[in-house]
């Protein structure tokens, strides 16, 4: 089963995804995307692996096509057999690289189990229709 989580910024999407992933007894593969402290650079970091700068702020975030093209080759070689795919999160900067988008969608389609966080306004959200179960998070509160 693939669980897709979407919602507004700060609603707890990543918190929920991390909680679900931490319950897994299987090997986790995938990546997370996050901003640096200045919010001017966006990084993609593979689970237990390297990180890459994939976007920078130039008024708005601008994806780095060459880096995303190179990362597409990495995604095409990921073995998903018996593993849980974790992606936190898919946004909009990825669309500067059609190679990355194609590799990402192929990775998700060949995965049996996973947790994917996708930004509410991601242009790739429609591409994921029909894959897995979609949950929209309005607010996650820990008590």
């Amino acid at each position: 089963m693939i669980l897709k989580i979407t919602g507004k910024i700060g609603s707890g999407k990543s918190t929920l995804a991390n909680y679900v992933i931490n319950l897994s007894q299987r090997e986790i593969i995938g990546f997370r995307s996050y901003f640096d402290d200045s919010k001017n650079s966006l990084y993609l970091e593979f689970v237990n692996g390297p990180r890459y700068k994939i976007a920078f702020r130039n008024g708005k975030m601008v994806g780095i096509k060459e880096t995303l093209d190179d990362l597409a080759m990495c995604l095409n070689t990921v073995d998903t057999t018996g593993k849980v795919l974790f992606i936190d999160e898919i946004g909009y900067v990825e669309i500067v690289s059609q190679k990355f988008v194609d590799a990402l969608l192929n990775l998700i389609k060949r995965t049996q189990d996973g947790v994917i966080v996708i930004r509410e306004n991601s242009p790739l959200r429609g591409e994921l229709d029909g894959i897995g179960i979609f949950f929209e998070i309005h607010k996650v509160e820990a008590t």
Side-chain angles (χ1 to χ4, degrees):
M1 173 181 74
I2 296 178
L3 171 66
K4 297 177 292 190
I5 303 170
T6 191
K8 297 187 183 304
I9 293 172
S11 62
K13 301 179 302 292
S14 295
T15 300
L16 178 60
N18 280 301
Y19 181 76
V20 171
I21 283 295
N22 287 335
L23 293 174
S24 177
Q25 302 288 320
R26 296 182 11 224
E27 182 180 350
I28 308 299
I29 57 170
F31 61 85
R32 68 183 188 106
S33 302
Y34 62 91
F35 287 101
D36 67 353
D37 291 340
S38 70
K39 304 278 191 221
N40 288 319
S41 296
L42 181 67
Y43 291 90
L44 182 149
E45 181 176 41
F46 285 97
V47 173
N48 300 316
R51 77 176 184 156
Y52 303 86
K53 184 175 177 179
I54 61 168
F56 61 92
R57 189 170 303 283
N58 185 9
K60 63 178 185 168
M61 293 308 290
V62 177
I64 302 171
K65 182 182 183 313
E66 297 79 17
T67 302
L68 290 164
D69 283 350
D70 290 344
L71 289 172
M73 291 186 290
C74 295
L75 296 182
N76 285 327
T77 64
V78 172
D79 177 16
T80 63
T81 308
K83 301 170 186 161
V84 178
L85 177 64
F86 177 59
I87 298 175
D88 182 15
E89 69 184 44
I90 301 170
Y92 59 90
V93 299
E94 296 89 348
I95 64 169
V96 301
S97 168
Q98 190 60 49
K99 289 179 184 178
F100 184 86
V101 169
D102 292 344
L104 177 65
L105 294 173
N106 185 31
L107 173 63
I108 293 168
K109 288 175 182 174
R110 69 177 192 269
T111 298
Q112 285 286 355
D113 297 308
V115 177
I116 300 167
V117 176
I118 184 165
R119 286 189 63 159
E120 185 176 53
N121 61 348
S122 173
L124 298 178
R125 196 170 160 186
E127 299 278 350
L128 295 175
D129 285 349
I131 303 172
I133 301 170
F134 227 124
F135 285 94
E136 181 148 350
I137 305 300
H138 297 282
K139 182 95 172 145
V140 172
E141 295 182 26
T143 55

